[in-house]
Each structure stands twice: as C-alpha cells, then as structure tokens.
Amino acid sequence: LHVNEILETTAGMSARDILDYQLKVFRETMEAHRNERGRRIVFIHGKGEGVLRHAIINELRYRYKNYPYQDASFQEYGYGATQVTIR
C-alpha cells in the first residue's frame, strides 16, 4: 500500500486524501478475495509513523472482524507489513 506503488502522483493530495486512497485499495483487495477461504494476503504499509498500519488494524477490528491478522514475516517484510487470512 505504499503510495508511490499505487498512485502515479500525489500532487494536490493532502495526507488525508492519500490515507483515504490507501484504505480504498485495502478494502477493494479484501472484497476481491473475500470468497477465497484460507488465502493469506500481506499488506505492506511501511513502518513510518504507523498511521496506515493503525488505520488498517482499525478496519480489521470493525469491518473485517472475523478475519485473523498478524504481523507478516519479519524476515520477508521487516516491520512494515500485516498478514490477513481470509475466512
């Protein structure tokens, strides 16, 4: 969900606009795979200040509360990724 990977440019976008777009991509990805039970999806959010990570966890707690999640493999992704299992 790194912004430079999902958008060509952020010109004219506020930090809130960028976060909203990243969450839109997160939700679209979750919905696209919702029928693939057992599938694991890794969302790379970066370690930064944790704003995107906290927003994703909030979505998982309230909108997708039946989907288990955990920090993704440190060896593969470092500190900046969350793994979600589709149920």
Side-chain angles (χ1 to χ4, degrees):
L1 296 173
H2 284 283
V3 70
N4 57 349
E5 297 292 327
I6 59 174
L7 284 171
E8 283 189 32
T9 181
T10 58
M13 295 178 78
S14 69
R16 182 69 210 190
D17 293 337
I18 293 168
L19 178 61
D20 287 344
Y21 188 81
Q22 289 169 308
L23 289 174
K24 176 180 169 276
V25 171
F26 168 80
R27 289 183 202 114
E28 288 171 349
T29 303
M30 291 293 289
E31 291 303 315
H33 298 286
R34 71 180 186 181
N35 295 322
E36 299 175 27
R37 296 180 63 118
R39 181 181 183 100
R40 293 184 178 134
I41 303 171
V42 175
F43 292 97
I44 301 172
H45 44 69
K47 53 186 180 182
E49 295 176 22
V51 175
L52 179 56
R53 178 182 184 274
H54 290 295
I56 288 171
I57 289 173
N58 189 57
E59 288 280 314
L60 289 165
R61 284 186 180 151
Y62 297 103
R63 188 178 290 218
Y64 302 100
K65 55 187 164 194
N66 295 325
Y67 293 46
Y69 64 93
Q70 65 190 49
D71 290 338
S73 167
F74 176 77
Q75 288 182 323
E76 288 185 63
Y77 303 102
Y79 288 110
T82 298
Q83 177 180 290
V84 179
T85 303
I86 303 298
R87 289 220 169 155

